Amino acid sequence: METSLLDKEWTLRFPHLALLSACFLGALTVAFGVWTATSVWSFPLFVLAVVLVVYVPGGVVLDAARARARPLDRLCLSLILGMTVSSVLYALCGLLRLQGLFALWPAATTGWRLYARWRAWPEWWETKYSANLTHLLLLVVILLCLVPLTVLPMYYRNLDLLPQGGMNFLRKPNDAVFHLSISNELTHSIPPQAPFLAGRPLGYHFGMDLLPAMFSRLAGVSVLDSTVRFFPTFLLGLAVLSVFSFSRLWLGSGAWAALCAFLVPLGEDFSFLPGLLTRSEEIWSAQFFGMPTTYSLYFMNPMLPALGVLFAGLFCLVKYWRGSGKNWEILSAFLFAVAVEYKIFATLHVLAALGLAGLVYFLLSRDRRLLQVAALTLLFAAPLVLCGLLAADAGSRVWIRIEPWPYIPEMLKQLGLLGTTLGREVDALFHAGGLSVAGLAALVLVAVPVYLVGSLGARVLAIPTVLRGLSSRSPTAGLGLFLSLFCVLGPLASLALAVTPWGYPSTSEYNNAVWFYVQSKYVLWVLAVQWLSSALGGKPRWWQTIAVAAVVVVSVPSSLQFFHTQASQATSVLTSTELEVTEAMAGRCPDGDVVMARQEVGELVVALTPCRVPVLNLGIYPHSFVSMGELAERRSDRDVFWGDWNEGTVRVDILERYSVGYVLLDLRAGDRTLGGPGVSGGEGPPPVGAVTLVPCFENEEFVVYSVSRGDGSGT
């Protein structure tokens, strides 16, 4: 695939790069002036914050580590190190209740960088950079990856102010509401509570949600715009750049690296084959094999930042392995460890592969390097995991067990094969618990191979590379062994383990062990392209083009169907009265006050304000934070409160139980108001007991009461 045309280089000076960057950012500024929850100036402010809070600190860390890399790789590492180090420092300042000190970090690093660059400014201005067509391919890939954000209702079109008044808002699925609520919570509380379960700690890796909160506190960038527009754009572009940097280093080719950068986020499985045959309207990659990868990256999931961090860690590991210095070992271990804050399963996966590969490699060659990286990763990850465990409580326990999840029987069911002899034999192994020779043969010889090929898609091209990595006894094959084990352990863990919230029926839950397979599939693309580049070496250019095109053609249909399915979802429109009440609540509740509200209004409260609510129905998300009994009790309390309220009784006990500071009435739902100054219409329950309800806001559709207690406490 790599030709003389692709290798041909030309020279760019700093002013050229500055002009190109200005054009790209200018186009984004125009786009985010059209899609915005605030104003056209929000995105330029975000870019400035990225430079000062992320890029410059990351570059200083890279300089301190004396880690030399090519300009594009340096850009990638600076952004990822700046993002992770700044997030950790911001969280630490929050834990110590010294958030004001965090501003010293970007100020100090920016001052140092300006001082170091001041005398070299003329030379820096004339610095020359080499570029070729592979860089143009990378830019095209990044733009292609960003296109879906313009059509998916969860992103650019979400929380968009409308010319006629009001705002677009996606209620279902709940992922946007979930992450918006956490980001709002993190603007005022570290460690955070679960804002949709007031009073309960948030035992969750919230690194992705910390970024909008950090930018809001430090630079005044809107959490709404950051969460659904700015950071998805930044993190997706950064992930693509990270995949490219590692792939170019591993494969030694910019063109093949660009192919990897395209396939990792956009390449899916073979689920389009049964999808087309059955004309299914569900999401094919989730319906037939249950191991989607594109789905994860485009569904506001912390797997997106974790992907960039993971591949940056792999890049640093390769640099260390190839003798670039021990500083790269420390950087790789730090990045593998800090992935805990984005996706804990990524760190666990890396540790398992590093530990096993390091042990085998040590026994073969007495080389301790992989074991050293594993030990350092564990050392760096330990305090992060400990903080997470201390922040959680008994209600957020996880149930980990060896229990084959029924992905394969479900595949047979979706393919219409469950009623066949093959399907019955396999289903009996999973659900009847009976072992038989026929059942094992059907599973091992037919069902498992079909499932693996179908769920891997064109990644099956990586199998020869994986087998070679597992079988090689070469003293220099340690990294190949590690990557191969990483790819093999993923499917094994996902198919053999069950990771679900404690105390909930497993049949109703989502198996979080799926992430091990998903992570393997991302890395498998690089090994698949490695095999492809080797197989096509020396072949005519037209033959290489046809082969690459064939891989792309069979890898994107399921992704395109996912985008098409999601793009058809309708958003609701928030009225001006809904925006008025949320703006009023945001102004009155900067410290996470609890608001008693109905479900639909409660979604707006946690998504658009820093407030909390006693309970929200957010699919299976609350299951990870409270027990099934407590969740049912909270839902019952909410229903009882509103039922009694409209019957003339104020349930003071419920207000006290959840430390409610405000009661938000939805007049559209028939809620009755209290009589009193400033509140129009309606007779309702009088203030009783130890609390007094004082009207503090009203419009045509909503009335808000503050809860004042007899001891002088309250809002």
Side-chain angles (χ1 to χ4, degrees), residues 111 160 228 271 320 369 375 385 470 501 613 623 632:
D160 171 34
V228 303
S271 59
Y320 165 62
R369 284 180 293 173
V385 174
L470 293 175
V613 295
H623 299 186

Side-chain angles (χ1 to χ4, degrees), residues 466-483:
V466 171
L467 294 177
R468 186 166 58 250
L470 293 175
S471 60
S472 176
R473 294 181 175 272
S474 167
T476 60
L479 274 189
L481 175 62
F482 161 65
L483 290 178

Side-chain angles (χ1 to χ4, degrees), residues 230-583:
F230 303 160
F231 271 112
T233 303
F234 171 75
L235 293 174
L236 189 54
L238 186 57
V240 172
L241 180 57
S242 183
V243 172
F244 176 84
S245 292
F246 166 72
S247 301
R248 184 172 62 170
L249 183 64
W250 180 255
L251 302 175
S253 165
W256 291 111
L259 180 61
C260 291
F262 173 83
L263 290 172
V264 169
L266 295 178
E268 261 295 356
D269 52 25
F270 286 153
S271 59
F272 70 95
L273 296 174
L276 290 172
L277 289 174
T278 61
R279 297 184 180 180
S280 171
E281 296 182 357
E282 298 183 38
I283 298 172
W284 295 338
S285 57
Q287 176 186 0
F288 293 102
F289 304 114
M291 297 288 174
T293 53
T294 301
Y295 194 131
S296 309
L297 300 181
Y298 286 91
F299 223 73
M300 205 168 284
N301 193 288
M303 188 67 244
L304 177 58
L307 181 68
V309 174
L310 172 63
F311 274 90
L314 293 175
F315 176 92
C316 295
L317 181 61
V318 174
K319 293 284 284 186
Y320 165 62
W321 192 262
R322 294 180 179 177
S324 295
K326 201 170 182 61
N327 48 350
W328 290 103
E329 176 190 19
I330 297 173
L331 289 176
S332 66
F334 169 76
L335 290 171
F336 288 148
V338 83
V340 163
E341 292 302 307
Y342 304 97
K343 206 72 176 176
I344 189 172
F345 302 102
T347 298
L348 294 176
H349 197 165
V350 167
L351 278 172
L354 274 176
L356 186 56
L359 180 60
V360 172
Y361 194 62
F362 173 73
L363 294 176
L364 290 176
S365 62
R366 299 301 172 184
D367 191 325
R368 296 183 174 86
R369 284 180 293 173
L370 288 178
L371 285 176
Q372 289 172 185
V373 177
L376 267 178
T377 301
L378 188 60
L379 181 65
F380 289 148
L384 300 175
V385 174
L386 181 61
C387 287
L389 291 175
L390 293 176
D393 66 358
S396 57
R397 289 182 297 169
V398 174
W399 190 15
I400 305 174
R401 58 204 183 276
I402 299 177
E403 178 184 312
W405 205 258
Y407 293 114
I408 294 176
E410 182 63 24
M411 173 198 69
L412 296 175
K413 176 183 176 182
Q414 296 297 330
L415 294 176
L417 300 176
L418 200 59
T420 64
T421 302
L422 167 69
R424 288 193 296 269
E425 292 289 350
V426 172
D427 192 54
L429 291 177
F430 282 82
H431 296 113
L435 292 177
S436 66
V437 174
L440 288 174
L443 177 67
V444 174
L445 299 179
V446 181
V448 169
V450 169
Y451 180 82
L452 290 176
V453 172
S455 59
L456 289 176
R459 299 176 187 86
V460 294
L461 296 176
I463 291 176
T465 307
V466 171
L467 294 177
R468 186 166 58 250
L470 293 175
S471 60
S472 176
R473 294 181 175 272
S474 167
T476 60
L479 274 189
L481 175 62
F482 161 65
L483 290 178
S484 297
L485 279 172
F486 185 91
C487 294
V488 169
L489 289 176
L492 290 176
S494 294
L495 296 177
L497 295 178
V499 182
T500 58
W502 183 272
Y504 288 85
S506 61
T507 54
S508 66
E509 294 304 307
Y510 172 82
N511 182 15
N512 276 289
V514 67
W515 293 110
F516 296 115
Y517 198 169
V518 169
Q519 289 154 183
S520 288
K521 289 171 73 172
Y522 291 132
V523 175
L524 273 166
W525 271 128
V526 179
L527 301 187
V529 173
Q530 180 181 352
W531 179 88
L532 189 66
S533 64
S534 176
L536 293 177
K539 296 290 191 300
R541 185 185 310 170
W542 63 267
W543 179 246
Q544 296 183 33
T545 303
I546 291 175
V548 169
V551 170
V552 172
V553 165
V554 300
S555 300
V556 299
S558 295
S559 299
L560 295 177
Q561 189 265 351
F562 164 71
F563 296 140
H564 173 73
T565 302
Q566 293 301 300
S568 62
Q569 291 185 335
T571 57
S572 59
V573 175
L574 302 183
T575 64
S576 58
T577 53
E578 288 175 316
L579 294 179
E580 283 176 6
V581 73
T582 54
E583 288 172 4

Side-chain angles (χ1 to χ4, degrees), residues 34-351:
V34 175
W35 293 304
T36 181
T38 49
S39 75
V40 70
W41 300 109
S42 189
F43 183 67
L45 186 61
F46 171 81
V47 173
L48 180 62
V50 167
V51 172
L52 298 180
V53 183
V54 175
Y55 174 71
V56 171
V60 170
V61 171
L62 208 56
D63 288 342
R66 297 181 179 178
R68 296 182 178 275
R70 290 196 264 186
L72 202 59
D73 300 332
R74 179 181 173 82
L75 171 66
C76 175
L77 291 173
S78 295
L79 291 172
I80 288 179
L81 285 170
M83 177 182 74
T84 53
V85 172
S86 293
S87 295
V88 169
L89 290 177
Y90 179 80
L92 181 61
C93 290
L95 287 172
L96 298 175
R97 302 293 188 269
L98 298 171
Q99 284 181 320
L101 288 180
F102 176 74
L104 296 177
W105 166 246
T109 52
T110 301
W112 172 257
R113 175 53 60 90
L114 290 175
Y115 172 77
R117 293 285 188 180
W118 182 256
R119 293 184 178 180
W121 173 255
E123 298 165 359
W124 187 40
W125 184 260
E126 293 297 325
T127 301
K128 297 179 181 180
Y129 300 91
S130 297
N132 55 43
L133 282 182
T134 60
H135 297 94
L136 180 60
L137 285 176
L138 174 62
L139 179 59
V140 171
V141 169
I142 291 175
L143 293 175
L144 286 175
C145 290
L146 293 179
V147 166
L149 300 183
T150 66
V151 298
L152 295 175
M154 190 177 293
Y155 292 102
Y156 291 175
R157 293 186 288 130
N158 195 12
L159 301 174
D160 171 34
L161 290 171
L162 302 175
Q164 65 272 26
M167 175 186 284
N168 279 327
F169 182 61
L170 182 70
R171 293 184 182 273
K172 302 292 181 181
N174 306 118
D175 300 65
V177 174
F178 175 74
H179 288 287
L180 281 165
S181 71
I182 297 174
S183 291
N184 282 319
E185 173 74 13
L186 288 164
T187 60
H188 57 78
S189 296
I190 299 178
Q193 292 184 23
F196 42 85
L197 294 166
R200 283 298 176 196
L202 186 79
Y204 181 76
H205 38 243
F206 53 78
M208 182 179 78
D209 307 300
L210 190 67
L211 295 171
M214 179 170 65
F215 275 41
S216 175
R217 284 295 300 264
L218 195 66
V221 181
S222 165
V223 167
L224 306 184
D225 280 324
S226 288
T227 302
V228 303
R229 276 178 278 277
F230 303 160
F231 271 112
T233 303
F234 171 75
L235 293 174
L236 189 54
L238 186 57
V240 172
L241 180 57
S242 183
V243 172
F244 176 84
S245 292
F246 166 72
S247 301
R248 184 172 62 170
L249 183 64
W250 180 255
L251 302 175
S253 165
W256 291 111
L259 180 61
C260 291
F262 173 83
L263 290 172
V264 169
L266 295 178
E268 261 295 356
D269 52 25
F270 286 153
S271 59
F272 70 95
L273 296 174
L276 290 172
L277 289 174
T278 61
R279 297 184 180 180
S280 171
E281 296 182 357
E282 298 183 38
I283 298 172
W284 295 338
S285 57
Q287 176 186 0
F288 293 102
F289 304 114
M291 297 288 174
T293 53
T294 301
Y295 194 131
S296 309
L297 300 181
Y298 286 91
F299 223 73
M300 205 168 284
N301 193 288
M303 188 67 244
L304 177 58
L307 181 68
V309 174
L310 172 63
F311 274 90
L314 293 175
F315 176 92
C316 295
L317 181 61
V318 174
K319 293 284 284 186
Y320 165 62
W321 192 262
R322 294 180 179 177
S324 295
K326 201 170 182 61
N327 48 350
W328 290 103
E329 176 190 19
I330 297 173
L331 289 176
S332 66
F334 169 76
L335 290 171
F336 288 148
V338 83
V340 163
E341 292 302 307
Y342 304 97
K343 206 72 176 176
I344 189 172
F345 302 102
T347 298
L348 294 176
H349 197 165
V350 167
L351 278 172

Side-chain angles (χ1 to χ4, degrees), residues 3-21:
T3 67
S4 57
L5 180 62
L6 289 174
D7 286 331
K8 185 178 180 180
E9 294 190 349
W10 63 88
T11 301
L12 293 175
R13 287 187 170 85
F14 178 78
H16 301 147
L17 290 178
L19 179 61
L20 291 173
S21 299

